[in-house]
Amino acid sequence: DAAGGYREEAASPAARRAAAEALSAALGGLPVVLLARPGMHGSSGDHARDRHTRAEVELVDAALAELRRRHGFRDLALSGFSSGGAVVANLLARRGDVRCAALASAPLDLAAFYRGPDGAAAPDEWALREGELADPMRTVRAVRPDVEILVLGDRRDRKVPAAAWGAWAAAARRAGLRVAEAEVGALDPDDGPGGAGGHHATAAFALEAAAA
């Protein structure tokens, strides 16, 4: 989810609006928009087909432009969790109205993320099609140097390895960007119910950082 990481059972418009209003109240009245990626959390689209593609980034970009036009937002603070963080990283290269961004547990080096342990590309029917993969590593040099960026995650993450965001952060710093990294303890540790945690749930930390 590009703005929060909420569960599917909270996908109804009323539930999403209530969640946004609760977050806004918790953040002192800041306007909060929960924007789902295509095919996620009640949003139309096909997640398997649209994820990690340029079309996904273009669609979210257009949605942000319409939100600004409709509500008069002066600028934006973006929070992206997991693959939503990859979308946000690509948006930074497209938009001039982002004040800051927090990217949490995000596969920001998608080419490496899709590579298997033996170095071969893992199969992905849609995103790995020629020219379709929206890899933030390809767009990092187009990001404005005045944007404040925080990259965070739990290095024990079993869904998105730390190398998948660390490589992008290093590339961003080489490009002269203002990037900070922080390690946090994910909210789904191994000692959770059944010991089934993946150390991946860091969306809440990214939202707090973006608000700050």
Side-chain angles (χ1 to χ4, degrees), residues 44-114:
S44 62
D46 185 327
H47 178 242
R49 182 193 66 202
D50 298 328
R51 69 192 183 106
H52 298 165
T53 62
R54 290 188 299 168
E56 178 184 54
V57 176
E58 291 167 0
L59 182 61
V60 176
D61 189 22
L64 291 178
E66 176 60 19
L67 285 167
R68 278 203 66 190
R69 185 198 67 79
R70 187 176 300 184
H71 298 289
F73 296 145
R74 186 173 53 190
D75 52 21
L76 304 168
L78 301 181
S79 169
F81 166 65
S82 197
S83 289
V87 174
V88 170
N90 280 304
L91 289 171
L92 294 176
R94 297 173 63 94
R95 304 188 63 88
D97 57 358
V98 180
R99 176 186 298 183
C100 64
L103 316 176
S105 303
L108 302 178
D109 184 346
L110 280 176
F113 178 71
Y114 277 118

Short mmCIF file of all heavy atoms in Angstrom, two decimals, residues 44-114:
data_model
loop_
_atom_site.label_atom_id
_atom_site.label_comp_id
_atom_site.label_asym_id
_atom_site.label_seq_id
_atom_site.Cartn_x
_atom_site.Cartn_y
_atom_site.Cartn_z
N SER A 44 -9.32 -0.66 -7.66
CA SER A 44 -9.48 -1.44 -8.90
C SER A 44 -8.11 -1.74 -9.49
O SER A 44 -7.12 -1.08 -9.19
CB SER A 44 -10.35 -0.68 -9.90
OG SER A 44 -9.72 0.54 -10.24
N GLY A 45 -8.07 -2.72 -10.36
CA GLY A 45 -6.81 -3.10 -11.00
C GLY A 45 -6.46 -4.54 -10.68
O GLY A 45 -7.15 -5.23 -9.91
N ASP A 46 -5.39 -5.02 -11.29
CA ASP A 46 -4.92 -6.39 -11.13
C ASP A 46 -3.53 -6.34 -10.52
O ASP A 46 -2.56 -5.98 -11.19
CB ASP A 46 -4.89 -7.08 -12.49
CG ASP A 46 -4.54 -8.56 -12.40
OD1 ASP A 46 -3.74 -8.94 -11.51
OD2 ASP A 46 -5.02 -9.33 -13.24
N HIS A 47 -3.44 -6.69 -9.24
CA HIS A 47 -2.17 -6.57 -8.54
C HIS A 47 -1.07 -7.40 -9.21
O HIS A 47 0.06 -6.93 -9.39
CB HIS A 47 -2.33 -7.01 -7.08
CG HIS A 47 -1.07 -6.98 -6.30
ND1 HIS A 47 -0.52 -8.11 -5.73
CD2 HIS A 47 -0.22 -5.97 -5.99
CE1 HIS A 47 0.61 -7.79 -5.11
NE2 HIS A 47 0.80 -6.51 -5.25
N ALA A 48 -1.38 -8.63 -9.59
CA ALA A 48 -0.37 -9.49 -10.21
C ALA A 48 0.13 -8.91 -11.53
O ALA A 48 1.30 -9.05 -11.88
CB ALA A 48 -0.93 -10.89 -10.43
N ARG A 49 -0.74 -8.24 -12.26
CA ARG A 49 -0.36 -7.69 -13.56
C ARG A 49 0.28 -6.31 -13.43
O ARG A 49 1.23 -5.99 -14.16
CB ARG A 49 -1.60 -7.57 -14.45
CG ARG A 49 -1.32 -7.04 -15.85
CD ARG A 49 -2.62 -6.65 -16.54
NE ARG A 49 -3.24 -5.52 -15.86
CZ ARG A 49 -4.53 -5.22 -15.95
NH1 ARG A 49 -5.35 -6.00 -16.64
NH2 ARG A 49 -5.03 -4.17 -15.32
N ASP A 50 -0.21 -5.48 -12.51
CA ASP A 50 0.17 -4.07 -12.48
C ASP A 50 1.36 -3.77 -11.58
O ASP A 50 2.00 -2.73 -11.73
CB ASP A 50 -1.02 -3.22 -12.02
CG ASP A 50 -2.21 -3.32 -12.95
OD1 ASP A 50 -2.00 -3.50 -14.16
OD2 ASP A 50 -3.35 -3.23 -12.47
N ARG A 51 1.66 -4.64 -10.62
CA ARG A 51 2.69 -4.31 -9.64
C ARG A 51 4.05 -4.16 -10.28
O ARG A 51 4.43 -4.89 -11.19
CB ARG A 51 2.73 -5.36 -8.54
CG ARG A 51 3.25 -6.71 -8.97
CD ARG A 51 2.98 -7.76 -7.91
NE ARG A 51 3.54 -9.04 -8.30
CZ ARG A 51 4.63 -9.56 -7.76
NH1 ARG A 51 5.28 -8.91 -6.81
NH2 ARG A 51 5.08 -10.73 -8.16
N HIS A 52 4.77 -3.16 -9.79
CA HIS A 52 6.16 -2.90 -10.18
C HIS A 52 6.31 -2.50 -11.64
O HIS A 52 7.39 -2.60 -12.21
CB HIS A 52 7.04 -4.13 -9.90
CG HIS A 52 7.11 -4.51 -8.46
ND1 HIS A 52 7.59 -5.73 -8.03
CD2 HIS A 52 6.76 -3.84 -7.34
CE1 HIS A 52 7.54 -5.80 -6.72
NE2 HIS A 52 7.03 -4.65 -6.27
N THR A 53 5.24 -2.01 -12.25
CA THR A 53 5.30 -1.59 -13.64
C THR A 53 5.27 -0.07 -13.75
O THR A 53 4.85 0.64 -12.84
CB THR A 53 4.13 -2.16 -14.45
OG1 THR A 53 2.90 -1.65 -13.91
CG2 THR A 53 4.11 -3.67 -14.41
N ARG A 54 5.70 0.40 -14.91
CA ARG A 54 5.64 1.85 -15.15
C ARG A 54 4.19 2.34 -15.14
O ARG A 54 3.92 3.46 -14.71
CB ARG A 54 6.30 2.17 -16.49
CG ARG A 54 7.81 1.97 -16.48
CD ARG A 54 8.44 2.48 -17.75
NE ARG A 54 7.93 1.76 -18.92
CZ ARG A 54 8.13 2.14 -20.17
NH1 ARG A 54 8.82 3.24 -20.43
NH2 ARG A 54 7.67 1.42 -21.19
N ALA A 55 3.26 1.51 -15.61
CA ALA A 55 1.86 1.92 -15.62
C ALA A 55 1.36 2.16 -14.20
O ALA A 55 0.56 3.09 -13.97
CB ALA A 55 1.01 0.84 -16.30
N GLU A 56 1.80 1.36 -13.25
CA GLU A 56 1.40 1.55 -11.87
C GLU A 56 1.87 2.91 -11.36
O GLU A 56 1.12 3.67 -10.73
CB GLU A 56 1.98 0.43 -11.00
CG GLU A 56 1.66 0.57 -9.52
CD GLU A 56 2.33 -0.51 -8.68
OE1 GLU A 56 3.56 -0.66 -8.78
OE2 GLU A 56 1.61 -1.19 -7.93
N VAL A 57 3.13 3.24 -11.64
CA VAL A 57 3.68 4.52 -11.20
C VAL A 57 2.93 5.68 -11.85
O VAL A 57 2.59 6.67 -11.20
CB VAL A 57 5.18 4.60 -11.52
CG1 VAL A 57 5.75 5.97 -11.16
CG2 VAL A 57 5.94 3.50 -10.79
N GLU A 58 2.66 5.57 -13.14
CA GLU A 58 1.96 6.64 -13.86
C GLU A 58 0.55 6.85 -13.30
O GLU A 58 0.08 7.99 -13.19
CB GLU A 58 1.91 6.31 -15.35
CG GLU A 58 3.28 6.38 -16.02
CD GLU A 58 3.29 5.74 -17.40
OE1 GLU A 58 2.21 5.25 -17.84
OE2 GLU A 58 4.36 5.72 -18.03
N LEU A 59 -0.12 5.77 -12.94
CA LEU A 59 -1.47 5.88 -12.40
C LEU A 59 -1.47 6.58 -11.05
O LEU A 59 -2.28 7.49 -10.80
CB LEU A 59 -2.09 4.49 -12.27
CG LEU A 59 -3.53 4.44 -11.76
CD1 LEU A 59 -4.47 5.18 -12.69
CD2 LEU A 59 -3.98 2.99 -11.61
N VAL A 60 -0.56 6.19 -10.16
CA VAL A 60 -0.49 6.84 -8.85
C VAL A 60 -0.07 8.31 -9.01
O VAL A 60 -0.58 9.19 -8.31
CB VAL A 60 0.48 6.09 -7.93
CG1 VAL A 60 0.62 6.81 -6.59
CG2 VAL A 60 -0.01 4.66 -7.69
N ASP A 61 0.83 8.58 -9.94
CA ASP A 61 1.25 9.95 -10.21
C ASP A 61 0.05 10.80 -10.63
O ASP A 61 -0.14 11.93 -10.14
CB ASP A 61 2.31 9.93 -11.31
CG ASP A 61 2.99 11.28 -11.53
OD1 ASP A 61 2.97 12.11 -10.60
OD2 ASP A 61 3.54 11.49 -12.62
N ALA A 62 -0.77 10.27 -11.51
CA ALA A 62 -1.95 11.00 -11.97
C ALA A 62 -2.95 11.22 -10.82
O ALA A 62 -3.59 12.28 -10.74
CB ALA A 62 -2.62 10.24 -13.11
N ALA A 63 -3.07 10.23 -9.94
CA ALA A 63 -3.98 10.37 -8.80
C ALA A 63 -3.52 11.50 -7.87
O ALA A 63 -4.33 12.29 -7.39
CB ALA A 63 -4.06 9.06 -8.04
N LEU A 64 -2.21 11.58 -7.64
CA LEU A 64 -1.69 12.66 -6.80
C LEU A 64 -1.92 14.02 -7.44
O LEU A 64 -2.24 15.00 -6.75
CB LEU A 64 -0.20 12.44 -6.54
CG LEU A 64 0.17 11.25 -5.66
CD1 LEU A 64 1.68 11.13 -5.54
CD2 LEU A 64 -0.46 11.36 -4.27
N ALA A 65 -1.74 14.09 -8.75
CA ALA A 65 -1.99 15.36 -9.45
C ALA A 65 -3.44 15.79 -9.30
O ALA A 65 -3.74 16.98 -9.07
CB ALA A 65 -1.61 15.22 -10.92
N GLU A 66 -4.37 14.85 -9.39
CA GLU A 66 -5.79 15.18 -9.24
C GLU A 66 -6.11 15.58 -7.82
O GLU A 66 -6.91 16.51 -7.58
CB GLU A 66 -6.64 13.98 -9.67
CG GLU A 66 -8.14 14.16 -9.47
CD GLU A 66 -8.72 15.34 -10.24
OE1 GLU A 66 -8.08 15.82 -11.21
OE2 GLU A 66 -9.82 15.79 -9.88
N LEU A 67 -5.51 14.91 -6.83
CA LEU A 67 -5.73 15.29 -5.43
C LEU A 67 -5.25 16.72 -5.18
O LEU A 67 -5.93 17.49 -4.47
CB LEU A 67 -5.00 14.32 -4.51
CG LEU A 67 -5.66 12.94 -4.35
CD1 LEU A 67 -4.69 11.97 -3.68
CD2 LEU A 67 -6.95 13.05 -3.54
N ARG A 68 -4.12 17.08 -5.73
CA ARG A 68 -3.62 18.45 -5.56
C ARG A 68 -4.57 19.45 -6.22
O ARG A 68 -4.86 20.51 -5.65
CB ARG A 68 -2.23 18.59 -6.17
CG ARG A 68 -1.10 18.11 -5.29
CD ARG A 68 0.21 18.75 -5.69
NE ARG A 68 0.20 20.18 -5.44
CZ ARG A 68 1.12 21.02 -5.87
NH1 ARG A 68 2.14 20.59 -6.60
NH2 ARG A 68 1.07 22.31 -5.59
N ARG A 69 -5.03 19.12 -7.41
CA ARG A 69 -5.93 20.04 -8.12
C ARG A 69 -7.23 20.21 -7.35
O ARG A 69 -7.75 21.31 -7.19
CB ARG A 69 -6.22 19.48 -9.52
CG ARG A 69 -7.06 20.43 -10.39
CD ARG A 69 -7.68 19.70 -11.55
NE ARG A 69 -8.68 18.74 -11.12
CZ ARG A 69 -9.92 19.08 -10.78
NH1 ARG A 69 -10.31 20.35 -10.78
NH2 ARG A 69 -10.79 18.15 -10.40
N ARG A 70 -7.75 19.10 -6.82
CA ARG A 70 -9.06 19.14 -6.19
C ARG A 70 -9.03 19.78 -4.81
O ARG A 70 -9.96 20.49 -4.42
CB ARG A 70 -9.61 17.70 -6.07
CG ARG A 70 -11.03 17.62 -5.58
CD ARG A 70 -11.53 16.19 -5.59
NE ARG A 70 -11.50 15.60 -6.93
CZ ARG A 70 -11.95 14.37 -7.20
NH1 ARG A 70 -12.46 13.63 -6.23
NH2 ARG A 70 -11.90 13.91 -8.42
N HIS A 71 -7.95 19.56 -4.07
CA HIS A 71 -7.91 20.00 -2.67
C HIS A 71 -6.93 21.14 -2.42
O HIS A 71 -6.87 21.65 -1.30
CB HIS A 71 -7.56 18.82 -1.76
CG HIS A 71 -8.58 17.73 -1.80
ND1 HIS A 71 -9.84 17.85 -1.26
CD2 HIS A 71 -8.53 16.49 -2.36
CE1 HIS A 71 -10.52 16.73 -1.46
NE2 HIS A 71 -9.75 15.89 -2.12
N GLY A 72 -6.16 21.53 -3.41
CA GLY A 72 -5.28 22.67 -3.25
C GLY A 72 -4.06 22.42 -2.39
O GLY A 72 -3.50 23.36 -1.81
N PHE A 73 -3.62 21.16 -2.28
CA PHE A 73 -2.41 20.88 -1.51
C PHE A 73 -1.22 21.62 -2.12
O PHE A 73 -1.01 21.60 -3.33
CB PHE A 73 -2.11 19.38 -1.51
CG PHE A 73 -3.14 18.54 -0.82
CD1 PHE A 73 -3.46 17.27 -1.28
CD2 PHE A 73 -3.82 19.01 0.29
CE1 PHE A 73 -4.41 16.49 -0.66
CE2 PHE A 73 -4.78 18.24 0.93
CZ PHE A 73 -5.07 16.97 0.45
N ARG A 74 -0.43 22.25 -1.27
CA ARG A 74 0.74 23.00 -1.75
C ARG A 74 1.89 22.07 -2.10
O ARG A 74 2.56 22.23 -3.10
CB ARG A 74 1.18 24.01 -0.69
CG ARG A 74 2.29 24.94 -1.16
CD ARG A 74 2.54 26.00 -0.12
NE ARG A 74 2.77 25.40 1.20
CZ ARG A 74 2.82 26.10 2.33
NH1 ARG A 74 2.62 27.40 2.32
NH2 ARG A 74 3.05 25.49 3.48
N ASP A 75 2.13 21.10 -1.22
CA ASP A 75 3.15 20.10 -1.49
C ASP A 75 2.78 18.82 -0.75
O ASP A 75 1.76 18.76 -0.07
CB ASP A 75 4.56 20.59 -1.10
CG ASP A 75 4.62 21.10 0.33
OD1 ASP A 75 3.74 20.74 1.14
OD2 ASP A 75 5.55 21.86 0.65
N LEU A 76 3.61 17.79 -0.89
CA LEU A 76 3.25 16.48 -0.40
C LEU A 76 4.37 15.87 0.44
O LEU A 76 5.55 16.09 0.16
CB LEU A 76 2.97 15.53 -1.57
CG LEU A 76 1.90 15.97 -2.58
CD1 LEU A 76 1.96 15.07 -3.82
CD2 LEU A 76 0.51 15.92 -1.96
N ALA A 77 3.98 15.13 1.46
CA ALA A 77 4.89 14.25 2.19
C ALA A 77 4.41 12.84 1.92
O ALA A 77 3.26 12.50 2.22
CB ALA A 77 4.87 14.56 3.68
N LEU A 78 5.25 12.01 1.33
CA LEU A 78 4.84 10.68 0.90
C LEU A 78 5.43 9.61 1.82
O LEU A 78 6.59 9.68 2.22
CB LEU A 78 5.30 10.42 -0.53
CG LEU A 78 4.77 11.37 -1.60
CD1 LEU A 78 5.29 10.95 -2.98
CD2 LEU A 78 3.25 11.41 -1.60
N SER A 79 4.60 8.63 2.11
CA SER A 79 5.02 7.47 2.89
C SER A 79 4.69 6.23 2.09
O SER A 79 3.56 6.04 1.66
CB SER A 79 4.28 7.45 4.24
OG SER A 79 4.47 6.23 4.90
N GLY A 80 5.69 5.38 1.86
CA GLY A 80 5.46 4.17 1.08
C GLY A 80 6.01 2.95 1.77
O GLY A 80 7.17 2.94 2.19
N PHE A 81 5.18 1.92 1.89
CA PHE A 81 5.57 0.69 2.57
C PHE A 81 5.68 -0.45 1.57
O PHE A 81 4.83 -0.61 0.69
CB PHE A 81 4.54 0.35 3.65
CG PHE A 81 4.65 -1.05 4.18
CD1 PHE A 81 5.78 -1.45 4.89
CD2 PHE A 81 3.63 -1.97 3.98
CE1 PHE A 81 5.89 -2.74 5.38
CE2 PHE A 81 3.73 -3.26 4.48
CZ PHE A 81 4.86 -3.64 5.17
N SER A 82 6.73 -1.25 1.70
CA SER A 82 6.96 -2.42 0.86
C SER A 82 6.96 -1.98 -0.61
O SER A 82 7.67 -1.04 -0.97
CB SER A 82 5.91 -3.50 1.16
OG SER A 82 6.31 -4.75 0.68
N SER A 83 6.17 -2.62 -1.46
CA SER A 83 6.19 -2.23 -2.87
C SER A 83 5.65 -0.82 -3.09
O SER A 83 5.96 -0.18 -4.10
CB SER A 83 5.41 -3.24 -3.71
OG SER A 83 6.10 -4.46 -3.80
N GLY A 84 4.86 -0.32 -2.13
CA GLY A 84 4.45 1.08 -2.20
C GLY A 84 5.63 2.01 -2.08
O GLY A 84 5.63 3.11 -2.63
N GLY A 85 6.68 1.58 -1.36
CA GLY A 85 7.89 2.37 -1.27
C GLY A 85 8.60 2.47 -2.60
O GLY A 85 9.19 3.51 -2.93
N ALA A 86 8.55 1.40 -3.40
CA ALA A 86 9.15 1.45 -4.74
C ALA A 86 8.40 2.43 -5.62
O ALA A 86 9.00 3.17 -6.40
CB ALA A 86 9.15 0.06 -5.36
N VAL A 87 7.07 2.47 -5.48
CA VAL A 87 6.27 3.45 -6.23
C VAL A 87 6.68 4.87 -5.83
O VAL A 87 6.92 5.73 -6.68
CB VAL A 87 4.77 3.24 -5.99
CG1 VAL A 87 3.96 4.35 -6.65
CG2 VAL A 87 4.33 1.89 -6.53
N VAL A 88 6.79 5.12 -4.52
CA VAL A 88 7.16 6.45 -4.06
C VAL A 88 8.55 6.84 -4.56
O VAL A 88 8.77 7.98 -4.99
CB VAL A 88 7.09 6.52 -2.52
CG1 VAL A 88 7.71 7.82 -2.01
CG2 VAL A 88 5.65 6.41 -2.05
N ALA A 89 9.50 5.91 -4.53
CA ALA A 89 10.84 6.21 -5.02
C ALA A 89 10.81 6.64 -6.48
O ALA A 89 11.52 7.58 -6.89
CB ALA A 89 11.75 5.00 -4.84
N ASN A 90 9.99 5.98 -7.28
CA ASN A 90 9.85 6.37 -8.68
C ASN A 90 9.13 7.71 -8.83
O ASN A 90 9.45 8.51 -9.72
CB ASN A 90 9.11 5.29 -9.46
CG ASN A 90 10.01 4.13 -9.84
OD1 ASN A 90 11.03 4.31 -10.48
ND2 ASN A 90 9.63 2.94 -9.43
N LEU A 91 8.16 7.98 -7.95
CA LEU A 91 7.46 9.26 -8.00
C LEU A 91 8.41 10.42 -7.71
O LEU A 91 8.24 11.53 -8.25
CB LEU A 91 6.31 9.27 -6.99
CG LEU A 91 5.11 8.39 -7.33
CD1 LEU A 91 4.15 8.33 -6.15
CD2 LEU A 91 4.39 8.89 -8.58
N LEU A 92 9.39 10.21 -6.86
CA LEU A 92 10.35 11.27 -6.55
C LEU A 92 11.08 11.75 -7.79
O LEU A 92 11.50 12.91 -7.86
CB LEU A 92 11.37 10.77 -5.52
CG LEU A 92 10.83 10.46 -4.12
CD1 LEU A 92 11.93 9.89 -3.25
CD2 LEU A 92 10.24 11.71 -3.48
N ALA A 93 11.22 10.88 -8.77
CA ALA A 93 11.91 11.25 -10.01
C ALA A 93 10.98 11.93 -11.01
O ALA A 93 11.44 12.49 -12.01
CB ALA A 93 12.54 10.02 -10.65
N ARG A 94 9.68 11.91 -10.73
CA ARG A 94 8.70 12.45 -11.66
C ARG A 94 8.08 13.77 -11.20
O ARG A 94 7.60 14.55 -12.02
CB ARG A 94 7.55 11.45 -11.87
CG ARG A 94 7.95 10.14 -12.49
CD ARG A 94 6.78 9.16 -12.48
NE ARG A 94 5.66 9.63 -13.28
CZ ARG A 94 5.46 9.29 -14.55
NH1 ARG A 94 6.32 8.48 -15.16
NH2 ARG A 94 4.42 9.75 -15.22
N ARG A 95 8.09 14.02 -9.87
CA ARG A 95 7.32 15.13 -9.33
C ARG A 95 8.22 16.17 -8.69
O ARG A 95 9.26 15.85 -8.11
CB ARG A 95 6.31 14.63 -8.28
CG ARG A 95 5.35 13.56 -8.80
CD ARG A 95 4.28 13.26 -7.77
NE ARG A 95 3.44 14.44 -7.51
CZ ARG A 95 2.35 14.75 -8.20
NH1 ARG A 95 1.94 13.97 -9.19
NH2 ARG A 95 1.65 15.82 -7.89
N GLY A 96 7.79 17.42 -8.76
CA GLY A 96 8.53 18.51 -8.15
C GLY A 96 7.86 19.08 -6.92
O GLY A 96 8.27 20.12 -6.42
N ASP A 97 6.82 18.40 -6.42
CA ASP A 97 6.04 18.94 -5.30
C ASP A 97 6.15 18.08 -4.05
O ASP A 97 5.36 18.23 -3.12
CB ASP A 97 4.57 19.08 -5.70
CG ASP A 97 3.96 17.75 -6.16
OD1 ASP A 97 4.68 16.73 -6.21
OD2 ASP A 97 2.76 17.75 -6.51
N VAL A 98 7.13 17.18 -4.01
CA VAL A 98 7.30 16.31 -2.83
C VAL A 98 8.31 16.94 -1.89
O VAL A 98 9.47 17.16 -2.25
CB VAL A 98 7.75 14.90 -3.24
CG1 VAL A 98 7.92 14.03 -2.00
CG2 VAL A 98 6.76 14.28 -4.21
N ARG A 99 7.86 17.26 -0.69
CA ARG A 99 8.75 17.87 0.31
C ARG A 99 9.66 16.82 0.93
O ARG A 99 10.85 17.06 1.14
CB ARG A 99 7.92 18.54 1.39
CG ARG A 99 8.77 19.11 2.53
CD ARG A 99 7.90 19.63 3.66
NE ARG A 99 7.05 20.73 3.22
CZ ARG A 99 6.24 21.40 4.03
NH1 ARG A 99 6.18 21.09 5.32
NH2 ARG A 99 5.48 22.37 3.58
N CYS A 100 9.09 15.66 1.26
CA CYS A 100 9.87 14.61 1.89
C CYS A 100 9.20 13.27 1.62
O CYS A 100 8.03 13.21 1.22
CB CYS A 100 10.01 14.84 3.39
SG CYS A 100 8.42 14.77 4.27
N ALA A 101 9.96 12.20 1.82
CA ALA A 101 9.42 10.87 1.61
C ALA A 101 10.05 9.90 2.60
O ALA A 101 11.24 10.00 2.91
CB ALA A 101 9.68 10.41 0.18
N ALA A 102 9.25 8.97 3.09
CA ALA A 102 9.74 7.90 3.95
C ALA A 102 9.42 6.58 3.28
O ALA A 102 8.26 6.31 2.96
CB ALA A 102 9.09 7.98 5.33
N LEU A 103 10.46 5.77 3.05
CA LEU A 103 10.32 4.50 2.33
C LEU A 103 10.62 3.37 3.31
O LEU A 103 11.72 3.30 3.85
CB LEU A 103 11.28 4.45 1.14
CG LEU A 103 11.39 5.72 0.29
CD1 LEU A 103 12.43 5.56 -0.79
CD2 LEU A 103 10.03 6.06 -0.32
N ALA A 104 9.66 2.49 3.53
CA ALA A 104 9.80 1.47 4.56
C ALA A 104 9.80 0.06 3.97
O ALA A 104 8.89 -0.30 3.21
CB ALA A 104 8.65 1.59 5.57
N SER A 105 10.84 -0.71 4.29
CA SER A 105 10.92 -2.12 3.89
C SER A 105 10.60 -2.29 2.42
O SER A 105 9.84 -3.19 2.03
CB SER A 105 9.96 -2.97 4.74
OG SER A 105 10.23 -2.83 6.11
N ALA A 106 11.20 -1.45 1.60
CA ALA A 106 10.81 -1.37 0.19
C ALA A 106 11.84 -2.03 -0.73
O ALA A 106 13.05 -1.84 -0.54
CB ALA A 106 10.63 0.10 -0.21
N PRO A 107 11.40 -2.76 -1.75
CA PRO A 107 12.31 -3.33 -2.74
C PRO A 107 12.72 -2.25 -3.74
O PRO A 107 12.14 -2.12 -4.82
CB PRO A 107 11.48 -4.44 -3.39
CG PRO A 107 10.07 -3.94 -3.29
CD PRO A 107 10.00 -3.17 -1.99
N LEU A 108 13.72 -1.48 -3.39
CA LEU A 108 14.11 -0.31 -4.19
C LEU A 108 15.12 -0.66 -5.28
O LEU A 108 15.37 0.15 -6.17
CB LEU A 108 14.68 0.77 -3.28
CG LEU A 108 13.73 1.26 -2.19
CD1 LEU A 108 14.41 2.29 -1.30
CD2 LEU A 108 12.43 1.81 -2.78
N ASP A 109 15.70 -1.85 -5.21
CA ASP A 109 16.54 -2.38 -6.29
C ASP A 109 15.79 -3.59 -6.83
O ASP A 109 16.05 -4.72 -6.45
CB ASP A 109 17.92 -2.76 -5.75
CG ASP A 109 18.87 -3.22 -6.85
OD1 ASP A 109 18.40 -3.50 -7.97
OD2 ASP A 109 20.09 -3.31 -6.59
N LEU A 110 14.84 -3.34 -7.73
CA LEU A 110 13.93 -4.40 -8.15
C LEU A 110 14.63 -5.47 -8.98
O LEU A 110 14.28 -6.65 -8.91
CB LEU A 110 12.76 -3.80 -8.93
CG LEU A 110 11.64 -3.19 -8.09
CD1 LEU A 110 10.59 -2.55 -8.98
CD2 LEU A 110 11.00 -4.22 -7.18
N ALA A 111 15.59 -5.08 -9.78
CA ALA A 111 16.31 -6.09 -10.57
C ALA A 111 16.97 -7.10 -9.65
O ALA A 111 16.91 -8.32 -9.88
CB ALA A 111 17.32 -5.42 -11.48
N ALA A 112 17.62 -6.62 -8.59
CA ALA A 112 18.25 -7.52 -7.63
C ALA A 112 17.20 -8.28 -6.83
O ALA A 112 17.39 -9.46 -6.51
CB ALA A 112 19.15 -6.72 -6.69
N PHE A 113 16.09 -7.62 -6.51
CA PHE A 113 15.03 -8.25 -5.74
C PHE A 113 14.47 -9.47 -6.46
O PHE A 113 14.15 -10.49 -5.85
CB PHE A 113 13.92 -7.24 -5.48
CG PHE A 113 12.73 -7.77 -4.73
CD1 PHE A 113 12.82 -8.09 -3.39
CD2 PHE A 113 11.51 -7.94 -5.38
CE1 PHE A 113 11.72 -8.57 -2.70
CE2 PHE A 113 10.41 -8.43 -4.69
CZ PHE A 113 10.52 -8.75 -3.35
N TYR A 114 14.35 -9.38 -7.79
CA TYR A 114 13.79 -10.47 -8.57
C TYR A 114 14.82 -11.55 -8.91
O TYR A 114 14.47 -12.59 -9.44
CB TYR A 114 13.17 -9.94 -9.87
CG TYR A 114 11.77 -9.42 -9.68
CD1 TYR A 114 11.47 -8.09 -9.92
CD2 TYR A 114 10.74 -10.27 -9.28
CE1 TYR A 114 10.18 -7.62 -9.75
CE2 TYR A 114 9.46 -9.81 -9.11
CZ TYR A 114 9.18 -8.47 -9.35
OH TYR A 114 7.90 -8.01 -9.18
#
